[in-house]
Amino acid sequence: MSMNRREFVKGAFATGAAATLGAALSGCSPQAPSAEGGVGSTASDTEIGKHTWEVKPAPITDVAETKDYDIVIVGAGMAGLSAAEAAARSGAKVAVLERTEEIQLHGADVGFIGSHWKKEAGEEIDVDDACRLVYQWSQQTANYDLIRFWFDHCGPVADYIEELVGTYDVQVVPARSKTAKGKWATLDERWRVYPSSVGFVREGDEGIWRPDKKRINYNLGEALWWNAEDHEAAFFFSTHAEQLVGNAQTGITGVIAKDANGSYVQYNASKGVILATGDIGGNQEMLDVWAPIANRADGIVYTPEGGNTGDGILMGCWAGAACSKSPAAPMVHPFTPDSQPFNLTAFVMSWLAVDTEGKRFCGELPFEPMLTNGRMNCAGNKAWSILDADYATYMEQQWPENYEALLNGLDKEMADRLEKGTFFKADTLDDLAKQLGIPADNLKATAEQYSNMARNGRDTQFGVPSQFLSEIKTPPFYAVPLVCSVLVVPFGLHVDTNSQVCTGEDEPIPGLFAVGNVQGDFFGLSYPVHVPGLSHGRCMVFGQLVGEALAKDTAITKLT
């Protein structure tokens, strides 16, 4: 074990902002899988015409040591930590294998629907409608029963989590991320966003950031980690799981991993193995096959260097598991590390969006997948948000409960970005078009058509609600680059409602489970934002329930 929790905290809070930013930026380019131990071998290295996951490598035989546990969990992200905490406090002997040097947490929102906290805040959600919208988002390719199970079981799990984090001086608060839109629950179903998420904060946290420049989800992750350790769960960092022990026919009984010293260790699991290896954002081969649209984004902002390379899919497929029946669901948001704080980006506000031809190409409501999918498929794969001098009026119109906070400091930021060349200003649309390198006649015609729809209160092209339409008439005019970054690309192994991994014939594989973004069949096509925090909420709930069920020798659908 390379690090305990106290060493981690001491080092984490000593880390400066510059180092953290460098680490974040280092993950912006997708990384090819490692060839180490056969995990990253390409089709040309093995069999022509086959992908890495289709070609089983030779068994690892030079095992230096064997360790025995009840449950082995691969991955120390939100899902793996949640599973470890639940399994360990339920009496199981637990090992957690993490290929990086520390636990991995991202983001700021966690879905918390049905909890006492949400009910006391007056934020009860129509579960039937919300579940239906999430399922329909996948064009009915996902597993409705799996989605419904999360909605029906989130509340009790969330109540326990609130109690747990409180013992570590962590408080549950209203969601601080801008994905949690204000009063969008009453919009048409196409654009509806429920108040589903919360944040976990300690004293001194600012917004979604802690003093050590880590996102506030680390507060939840640390509480899970520390309580798991207090119940004697063993964490092995810099330990890369490479092969499962067993197969779909005989069952899975363990994991073989390369430890920090380069030696192979076999971790036996008498009750089961839980894969919590994350998404496929760091595996270029998998992106090319399952999520090629992600290659048109401006970067990947969550995946750590060398992490999230689809290890769970590789190991599962080599053992006889099937991949998700639903397609990959890229989570792509309109920000980059540089643009994220900018309150005029489309991540927060809705402005006329034009492509390299100066034409409108999509509905601009800041409803992340729709807007970013449009950008990544528009002419030239480049676009800008256009606004005029009355932007403050339209910000109040769009977000009346929060616009004043968004305006705070905006003048200085606009001036700074103008100087940097990441923001554009002109007294005429002709001049603005020239700066952007787009046809002026098209831009003026598009602006006039859009302004007419704003005046009439009806978007006849894409159906953006009238509240989010604005006229382009008063100089000076501004343009903001519409950027796209991949957060994660959920795609995993085929599972049943118990989150047990299955074969292509839908047969559960004894001893093998998948939680988090390596759990397939939950999302499809793109990440649904009707329920902010759903991704982390899924990790939390299925991690807790699968960990507890395995420890108690039962299934999550049979837990009382």
Side-chain angles (χ1 to χ4, degrees), residues 188 190-191 350-353 359-367 370-371 397 446-471:
D188 180 80
R190 179 186 179 194
W191 309 108
S350 179
W351 309 110
L352 167 64
K359 297 180 179 180
R360 191 181 184 214
F361 58 90
C362 72
E364 300 91 349
L365 201 66
F367 203 72
M370 290 189 180
L371 183 60
Q397 172 184 300
T446 299
E448 179 60 26
Q449 182 184 32
Y450 183 79
S451 296
N452 284 335
M453 289 190 290
R455 283 190 291 271
N456 294 329
R458 181 168 177 253
D459 178 5
T460 57
Q461 282 185 293
F462 301 110
V464 172
S466 59
Q467 175 185 347
F468 299 92
L469 299 174
S470 56
E471 293 187 61

Side-chain angles (χ1 to χ4, degrees), residues 138-143 146 290 321-329 490-496 502-507 518-525:
S138 76
Q139 296 294 301
Q140 303 192 154
T141 61
N143 181 344
L146 197 65
W290 290 315
C323 287
S324 173
K325 291 186 175 182
S326 57
F491 183 76
L493 296 170
H494 175 38
V495 298
D496 61 14
C502 298
T503 67
E505 291 72 40
D506 305 320
E507 291 294 329
V518 75
Q519 176 202 63
D521 307 310
F522 195 93
F523 299 126
L525 300 177

Side-chain angles (χ1 to χ4, degrees), residues 176 200-211 216 219:
R176 292 184 171 183
F200 294 85
V201 302
R202 287 194 181 94
E203 185 176 351
D205 293 345
E206 297 262 347
I208 65 171
W209 299 99
R210 306 194 320 181
I216 56 175
N219 293 327

Side-chain angles (χ1 to χ4, degrees), residues 78-79 82-83 85-86 89 110-117 149-165 172 198 200 220 224 536-549 556 559-560:
M78 183 73 78
S82 188
E85 191 277 336
R89 68 173 164 78
V110 179
F112 230 56
I113 69 163
S115 66
H116 292 318
W117 191 95
F149 190 89
W150 180 83
F151 276 93
D152 288 341
H153 293 81
C154 184
V157 172
D159 291 338
Y160 168 72
I161 293 295
E162 182 182 5
E163 179 182 349
L164 170 67
V165 299
V172 179
V198 300
F200 294 85
L220 170 56
L224 293 166
H536 289 125
R538 173 176 71 142
C539 294
M540 178 185 73
V541 170
F542 280 100
Q544 283 282 301
L545 297 181
V546 171
E548 180 183 349
I556 63 175
L559 284 174
T560 57

